Amino acid sequence: MTTKIAVLVSGRGSNLQSVIDNIESGYIRDAEIKVVISDVGDAYALERARKHGIPAVFTDPLSFENKPAFELEILKTLKEHNIDLILLAGYMRIVGKEIISAYPNRIINIHPALLPAFKGLHAQQQAFKYGVKVSGCTVHFVDEGMDTGPIIIQKCVPVLEDDTADTLAARILEQEHKIFPEAVKLFAEGKLKVEGRIVVHT
Ligand code: GAR
């Protein structure tokens, strides 16, 4: 059965693009992106979606009274498209319980550090400033904490002598574009089983 995907974005959307490309190439099978939703009106990710004929929706958080009301509107869009899987691809908000309880273990996030280190914003800069010798990226299921959910895939990226925060971030991004589609492929093939905190690849 085809996995119907919604992608939530806030910015340039390169991780969205990697999923689109890997569906189009056939690497990810039996999955379709039904809608891309952004909380930022001029996010380039919306443009990328439109270029591929995918419905692109801007939901403005400022036009709702509070976060639950904003999330109920997003839920409405998700329900309209019969969504099975939500991807957070550079979505810069913490997803609240309205959405999480409706999609347990069916929301996947990409984070640009080796969790549980360097949660939250600007993780690549946080890692660089801390002086770690290895960083990387993590794909994980989303729970009610911030960047705390069960880990699906991680990839290490060494910090080089002449790195800046930007060059490190660019090399991490290259790996994000590999492990994010890989996780989507595994999910769509029914190969991810969550046992407590542990994700088993079956
Ligand atoms: C990516 O590096 C992603 O890991 C990060 O934002 C960037 C979005 O880039 N996400 C977070 O920091 C979430 N806390 P993109 O819009 O080009 O995919």
Side-chain angles (χ1 to χ4, degrees):
M1 218 184 65
T2 302
T3 301
K4 299 182 208 65
I5 300 173
V7 187
L8 270 55
V9 294
S10 300
R12 84 193 142 178
S14 70
N15 279 290
L16 163 68
Q17 190 71 54
S18 77
V19 177
I20 292 174
D21 293 345
N22 280 285
I23 289 175
E24 288 186 352
S25 76
Y27 173 72
I28 301 170
R29 279 172 289 141
D30 284 336
E32 191 182 341
I33 302 177
K34 290 289 188 186
V35 65
V36 171
I37 304 170
S38 177
D39 62 334
V40 175
D42 62 356
Y44 184 60
L46 289 172
E47 197 55 42
R48 292 184 194 261
R50 288 186 198 108
K51 279 187 186 156
H52 290 265
I54 300 167
V57 177
F58 166 46
T59 304
D60 186 354
L62 296 178
S63 57
F64 297 89
E65 206 176 305
N66 50 33
K67 181 163 167 166
F70 167 67
E71 293 219 325
L72 283 176
E73 178 64 25
I74 291 184
L75 265 181
K76 208 174 112 196
T77 309
L78 297 172
K79 295 272 149 74
E80 274 165 18
H81 291 273
N82 279 318
I83 295 305
D84 306 304
L85 172 67
I86 303 171
L87 300 179
L88 308 183
Y91 182 64
M92 295 306 181
R93 275 172 197 277
I94 295 175
V95 176
K97 48 177 179 301
E98 271 70 22
I99 296 178
I100 290 176
S101 55
Y103 288 87
N105 291 333
R106 288 195 288 147
I107 309 174
I108 292 178
N109 181 45
I110 174 81
H111 183 76
L114 292 176
L115 291 171
F118 310 117
K119 300 180 172 99
L121 294 177
H122 311 301
Q124 310 95 323
Q125 288 84 345
Q126 289 184 52
F128 183 77
K129 278 196 190 148
Y130 195 90
V132 296
K133 300 300 184 202
V134 177
S135 192
C137 44
T138 304
V139 186
H140 64 96
F141 283 111
V142 174
D143 64 11
E144 286 196 21
M146 186 184 66
D147 299 327
T148 54
I151 291 170
I152 303 169
I153 307 176
Q154 293 187 298
K155 187 84 185 183
C156 293
V157 175
V159 180
L160 306 178
E161 287 288 316
D162 57 353
D163 258 337
T164 62
D166 286 346
T167 58
L168 176 63
R171 287 206 321 289
I172 291 173
L173 191 64
E174 280 176 29
Q175 299 307 318
E176 293 183 40
H177 295 161
K178 292 182 183 155
I179 66 171
F180 197 44
E182 189 183 342
V184 176
K185 174 187 169 74
L186 291 170
F187 183 99
E189 291 174 356
K191 289 186 176 161
L192 298 177
K193 201 163 129 212
V194 185
E195 296 175 355
R197 274 213 59 80
I198 310 299
V199 179
V200 180
H201 296 205
T202 60

